[in-house]
Structure formats: C-alpha cells, structure tokens
Amino acid sequence: MTERPHRSTARTDPRAEEETAPVRPALRVVHESEGIDLAAAEAAAGQFLNALSISTASESLRGTPGRMARAYAELFSPRPFDLTTFPNDEGYDELVLARRIPVRTVCEHHLLPIVGTAHVGYLPGARILGLSKLARVVEHFACRPQVQERLTKQVADWLQTHLEPKGVGVVIEAEHACMTLRGVQATGSSTMTSTLLGLLRSDARTRSEFLGLTGATS
C-alpha cells in the first residue's frame, strides 16, 4: 500500500483539514485457503494412528482422530483482521516496540510445535499502526507449517511493504519440539532469529536500542 495521507502546506483551520482529508481504508487481511475438509482430515488421522499400531477402538481414543483434525485446522487458520493505520500527525520518530508477543506454530519438517515469543518494532513514517495489529501479523504468518527463519522475515517484510516505516525489526525466540522431544532431545534449548530493515539495520544506534530492548545482543 503506497497511498499517503494528504498534507496541506498552510494550516489555517485544523478542523477544516480534518473534515476534508481523505480517509485511508483499512487493509483487510485474510489467510489464503482453498478450504478445510475436516471429514477427510479425520479419516486420514485415524489411518495415521492405526498405521503406528495405535488403536482408536477404545472409548478414550475413539474421538482422537476428530480432535486431531480440528486441532490442526485451528493451528492453520489465522483470524482475518483489518490493518488499521493512522496519520502520524505529531511526527513521532522514535521506536515503537511490542514485546513478548506469543508465537505458536508447527515446524514444516515434523509438524511438531514451535512455541515462543516475538518482539516486533518499527520506526514510524507517514503513518502509525494500531498496536494490536503487530500481534495479528505475527499470528497471520505463524498459522501454517513454518521454519522460524522464514517466519521472522515474512513478518518484517510484510510490515515494511504495507506500513512503509523508516525501519522494521523482528526478533523471535522459540523452543522447537522437534529438537526437545525427539532426535537430539535438547531439552530447554531455544532458537533466536532476527530480521532488521531500513534504519534498524543501517543505523548502529537505533539497531543497538532495538536489540537491547528485546534482550538480544547487537
């Protein structure tokens, strides 16, 4: 989105300017999906469990394939939202940072959980963003099979494109069940990734401030 708010060179009547300034419509963000077939997913889940010699005949496990299907459908279905932005009339030019945004996704290699937190910040340009939308963008890209590196970059790139700030920074720290529950079984280990764009990448002071506030190191 490249439309910018109208600004007049002479401000004789602020109320008149408010009344005549064009309203920028919010961007409706909906996850692209061709539809979810819960019945087919439930049947496949039952076959999967049976193939691993796990019987679903007992009362306790009879409903497990359906619960599996619904659980994964929920994991892969982000809620639609409006990307609400507002004119940066005061010219605010310092860092805006939302810390400890919950992240939950599944790794695309084993479909095991990835759970952690994201820190998302930006330096405003012509517009500022409704704060809850930072968490919505994280959820939008997390609700699909992922790798943490891609997720981090997708969030940053998307905000840079649609908000057009002076800089964007995203840091994600998460625990991967494919590392802690299987294979190497590295219990307690976590993975940290970061993407810095614009001034948050090129300006050393700004980069250091962002990484310091997120708990990462420069």
Side-chain angles (χ1 to χ4, degrees), residues 117-121 147-157 168-174 191-197 200-201 207 210-212 214-218:
T117 57
H119 311 290
V120 183
V147 295
Q148 186 173 325
E149 297 90 339
R150 182 195 304 128
L151 173 60
T152 307
K153 193 170 188 305
Q154 283 177 332
V155 173
D157 287 345
V168 173
V170 179
V171 170
I172 296 179
E173 183 173 8
T191 300
M192 181 174 287
T193 51
S194 66
T195 295
L196 305 176
L197 302 175
L200 280 170
R201 184 181 184 92
R207 181 175 66 251
F210 172 76
L211 293 175
T214 63
T217 56
S218 58

Side-chain angles (χ1 to χ4, degrees), residues 47-68:
Q47 294 173 356
F48 172 74
L49 292 171
N50 290 332
L52 294 175
S53 298
I54 300 174
S55 173
T56 57
S58 70
E59 182 179 352
S60 296
L61 290 171
R62 193 173 299 132
T64 296
R67 288 188 287 268
M68 286 178 60

